[in-house]
Amino acid sequence: MMKLHRDGFFQEWLKTFDSWYEGYNNFTPSTNNSLEATNRVIKDEHTFRERHPLSRFFIIANDIVHRWSKSRNQKQADPIIYSTEPTITLQEWTNAYHFAKSSKSALQISSKRKGFTDYYMPAGKAQNVTTNEIQIYKMKKWTSLDQFKDFQFSIWRVTLSDNATECKSGLCNCPSFFKEYICKHIMGMAIRLKFCKPPPSAKDIPLGEKRNRGRPRKATKVLLIQ
Ligand SMILES: [Zn+2]
């Protein structure tokens, strides 16, 4: 019985639908939180939790689109502000710089997207990734859930535009990218390729050490003067 169960899982989730893991598809939402938030605004500000006939709802929906697009127009007075590129904190710059200086190798493979290049790099403590491993990863040739998991978390794929000025719009399939839309792999590769330079303060921390969160202390200089 147990055997059958496992085969069913394997067939369904590792063979037939082998790309459900969010690492496969950038920009699929990790949670439905923003969907729920939008739903709340519709109920609280537009439909007022009432049921409407389709004709009335069409007018309301039209009004929603009109008002929402107006409020997001950045030229409008008091618009809803949103950022179009990720913010890189000093901590992230430091991590990226350390990654760039590390001995971890990255394998360069031309991307499916024109004008972009894929860089495969080992996750965790590993220093190298082989073309054979990338082949297995790309062909999705896993034979168990454990192997699937190992593969998903042992190789990161960074996609960078060949245009140096667009490095912030790079993609990665590591967990921090899904949260922040930027990660040390993207910026680290961009530093290695000389697409960008980290701020000088990112180099303050010795390689291998980690920067604490938040603003760096400013007092050290004063203390040095006797
Ligand atoms: Zn990453």
Side-chain angles (χ1 to χ4, degrees):
M1 192 66 193
M2 196 57 212
K3 180 87 173 60
L4 206 127
H5 212 90
R6 279 174 64 159
D7 286 351
F9 178 86
F10 183 81
Q11 195 54 39
E12 205 65 7
W13 298 112
L14 298 174
K15 281 270 177 207
T16 315
F17 304 110
D18 54 9
S19 310
W20 50 270
Y21 165 60
E22 67 173 334
Y24 269 100
N25 304 298
N26 284 109
F27 304 121
T28 50
S30 306
T31 69
N32 69 344
N33 294 357
S34 66
L35 178 73
E36 294 294 345
T38 308
N39 188 28
R40 218 191 87 129
V41 174
I42 294 174
K43 283 179 171 171
D44 289 355
E45 295 176 19
H46 298 279
T47 61
F48 307 108
R49 297 176 187 272
E50 271 177 58
R51 278 178 182 274
H52 298 284
L54 189 61
S55 57
R56 175 77 197 133
F57 179 73
F58 179 70
I59 294 168
I60 295 171
N62 218 348
D63 180 56
I64 291 174
V65 173
H66 183 76
R67 278 205 251 170
W68 287 7
S69 51
K70 267 201 150 173
S71 59
R72 280 160 184 78
N73 179 355
Q74 303 298 296
K75 287 172 191 149
Q76 190 80 4
D78 202 20
I80 293 176
I81 313 274
Y82 56 87
S83 45
T84 49
E85 62 172 33
T87 344
I88 304 170
T89 61
L90 182 59
Q91 190 188 22
E92 279 160 339
W93 271 121
T94 309
N95 293 342
Y97 177 68
H98 286 199
F99 183 82
K101 289 285 163 195
S102 74
S103 50
K104 271 180 186 278
S105 67
L107 276 179
Q108 183 181 329
I109 292 175
S110 59
S111 174
K112 271 188 261 171
R113 289 167 73 191
K114 228 184 155 196
F116 290 82
T117 304
D118 286 340
Y119 301 89
Y120 289 85
M121 53 203 73
K125 288 196 170 74
Q127 298 293 310
N128 298 296
V129 57
T130 64
T131 37
N132 187 37
E133 283 167 330
I134 295 170
Q135 219 46 41
I136 300 174
Y137 177 86
K138 279 177 139 182
M139 305 279 283
K140 302 173 183 171
K141 275 190 180 167
W142 32 73
T143 49
S144 69
L145 179 66
D146 285 332
Q147 219 183 58
F148 174 81
K149 203 175 70 189
D150 287 346
F151 266 105
Q152 299 314 324
F153 291 92
S154 65
I155 296 174
W156 306 132
R157 185 191 57 234
V158 168
T159 305
L160 281 180
S161 166
D162 298 332
N163 181 348
T165 56
E166 286 169 19
C167 60
K168 272 192 184 179
S169 61
L171 304 173
C172 183
N173 62 353
C174 77
S176 19
F177 178 83
F178 297 131
K179 227 177 145 193
E180 313 285 345
Y181 300 109
I182 195 77
C183 66
K184 65 175 180 187
H185 309 116
I186 294 174
M187 295 318 287
M189 270 321 291
I191 294 171
R192 274 194 194 177
L193 294 161
K194 300 201 166 34
F195 282 4
C196 68
K197 269 189 189 158
S201 48
K203 301 178 183 176
D204 288 354
I205 307 275
L207 293 179
E209 276 179 39
K210 284 205 163 132
R211 181 183 294 280
N212 293 325
R213 274 174 191 279
R215 196 190 289 262
R217 269 182 291 168
K218 284 235 163 111
T220 20
K221 227 176 185 174
V222 185
L223 290 171
L224 283 172
I225 300 164
Q226 297 271 317

